[in-house]
């Protein structure tokens, strides 16, 4: 099992569990007070199961972004190369994503994600204001976070959550997702009335839907 990288997470649950995600992440969850031998035996028992799950993963799904020197990713639909340097973190369209070297990998990733979150927020804030005005509605709260399967969500309080992975997508996809979720502040379902609201602001919204179905999986997994 040495060739398989297994992430470990301590949980409050009394049970041990393994999850293989669509982007190839293998996560072992376990309580804090458990012996190393128990964990190793559990992994050994699940070896064939893990390999079987990994073999079924589509080959075109990207690995989790680690923000390492030389990695490539997408920012607002454009291919971007990552460079580590001693200066502050910055994004220069057409040239690269510059990330400051940190003491450890976890801190570097945390700061990089925080920066991407600020980039995405600056992109979606005017879109939210536009659609609020056009549709005469109001978003109560906007949050950006990593999500494994959803691009966005809207609850009954009109709080909207946006997937941080949207930062990788082209502008017209970002605009569509924002429109989609703001439309849910009026219709909390996918009825014909809901789609009519979406269509009133974007008559060609099905182009974005098609892109998401065809290419979305290649973008949503970068940060998860």
């Amino acid at each position: 099992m040495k060739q398989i990288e297994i992430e470990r997470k301590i949980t409050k649950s009394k049970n041990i569990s393994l999850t293989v995600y669509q982007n190839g992440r293998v996560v072992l969850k376990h309580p804090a007070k458990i012996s190393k031998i128990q964990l190793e035996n559990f992994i050994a028992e699940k070896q064939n199961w893990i390999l079987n799950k990994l073999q079924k993963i589509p080959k075109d799904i990207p690995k989790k972004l680690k923000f390492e020197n030389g990695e490539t990713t997408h920012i607002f639909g454009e291919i971007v190369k990552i460079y580590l340097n001693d200066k502050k973190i910055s994004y220069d369209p057409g040239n690269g994503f510059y990330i400051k070297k940190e003491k450890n990998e976890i801190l570097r990733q945390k700061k990089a994600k925080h920066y991407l979150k600020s980039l995405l927020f600056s992109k979606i804030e005017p879109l939210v204001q536009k659609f609020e005005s056009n549709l005469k509605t109001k978003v109560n709260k906007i949050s950006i976070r990593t999500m494994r399967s959803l691009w966005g969500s809207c609850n009954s309080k009109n709080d909207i959550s946006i997937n941080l992975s949207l930062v990788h997508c082209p502008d017209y996809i970002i605009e569509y997702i924002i429109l989609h979720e703001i439309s849910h502040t009026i219709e909390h379902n996918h009825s014909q009335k809901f789609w009519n609201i979406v269509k009133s602001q974007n008559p060609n919204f099905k182009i974005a839907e098609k892109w998401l179905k065809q290419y979305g999986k290649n973008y949503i997994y970068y940060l998860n």
Side-chain angles (χ1 to χ4, degrees):
M1 292 294 291
K2 289 183 180 180
Q3 73 277 17
I4 299 176
E5 182 180 346
I6 298 179
E7 299 177 34
R8 298 190 178 188
K9 290 188 176 182
I10 296 175
T11 65
K12 294 181 180 179
S13 173
K14 296 180 180 179
N15 301 318
I16 308 172
S17 66
L18 262 172
T19 305
V20 178
Y21 294 104
Q22 277 284 69
N23 63 343
R25 286 179 67 205
V26 181
V27 180
L28 174 68
K29 297 180 181 179
H30 61 86
K33 294 182 179 180
I34 193 166
S35 69
K36 183 179 179 181
I37 294 176
Q38 281 181 281
L39 291 177
E40 290 177 347
N41 288 340
F42 181 83
I43 293 172
E45 291 175 4
K46 294 289 186 178
Q47 179 173 354
N48 291 335
W49 178 84
I50 295 172
L51 291 173
N52 184 52
K53 286 285 187 179
L54 290 173
Q55 288 170 359
K56 292 180 179 179
I57 293 174
K59 302 300 181 183
D60 57 346
I61 290 179
K63 297 294 183 181
K64 180 181 178 181
L65 192 62
K66 294 184 176 181
F67 300 102
E68 294 178 342
N69 194 58
E71 271 189 308
T72 57
T73 185
H74 290 78
I75 295 181
F76 302 141
E78 299 296 326
I79 296 177
V80 174
K81 193 169 184 177
I82 293 173
Y83 300 96
L84 298 186
N85 61 25
D86 296 319
K87 301 179 181 180
K88 66 178 183 179
I89 190 168
S90 65
Y91 167 54
D92 184 359
N95 290 313
F97 184 19
Y98 298 87
I99 302 173
K100 185 179 179 180
K101 295 177 183 177
E102 298 293 346
K103 295 179 180 179
N104 60 66
E105 181 180 350
I106 295 175
L107 181 60
R108 184 180 73 245
Q109 291 178 359
K110 183 179 180 180
K111 288 190 174 183
K113 286 184 179 181
H114 181 77
Y115 184 82
L116 289 178
K117 185 181 290 188
S118 67
L119 274 184
L120 182 57
F121 189 81
S122 66
K123 178 78 70 171
I124 69 175
E125 187 176 32
L127 293 172
V128 170
Q129 293 172 353
K130 180 180 80 170
F131 290 129
E132 280 182 326
S133 176
N134 290 356
L135 296 173
K136 295 180 173 54
T137 187
K138 187 68 179 176
V139 173
N140 181 49
K141 180 182 176 183
I142 305 169
S143 62
I144 299 175
R145 58 191 180 90
T146 53
M147 293 186 271
R148 294 192 179 97
S149 59
L150 297 174
W151 287 106
S153 64
C154 176
N155 64 21
S156 59
K157 296 179 181 179
N158 289 353
D159 297 330
I160 289 179
S161 293
I162 299 298
N163 194 329
L164 179 54
S165 291
L166 197 61
V167 75
H168 301 305
C169 298
D171 286 355
Y172 77 99
I173 298 299
I174 297 172
E175 182 167 355
Y176 168 68
I177 294 298
I178 299 305
L179 169 60
H180 187 109
E181 299 310 328
I182 289 182
S183 296
H184 276 313
T185 66
I186 302 171
E187 284 291 312
H188 290 276
N189 53 54
H190 287 108
S191 63
Q192 188 57 52
K193 186 176 180 181
F194 166 81
W195 290 113
N196 287 342
I197 294 170
V198 174
K199 191 174 182 179
S200 73
Q201 302 300 306
N202 182 359
N204 298 314
F205 73 91
K206 289 186 178 180
I207 295 176
E209 283 275 314
K210 183 178 179 180
W211 186 95
L212 288 167
K213 289 178 181 178
Q214 188 171 357
Y215 302 110
K217 65 179 182 180
N218 296 325
Y219 288 73
I220 202 168
Y221 291 109
Y222 279 120
L223 300 172
N224 295 296

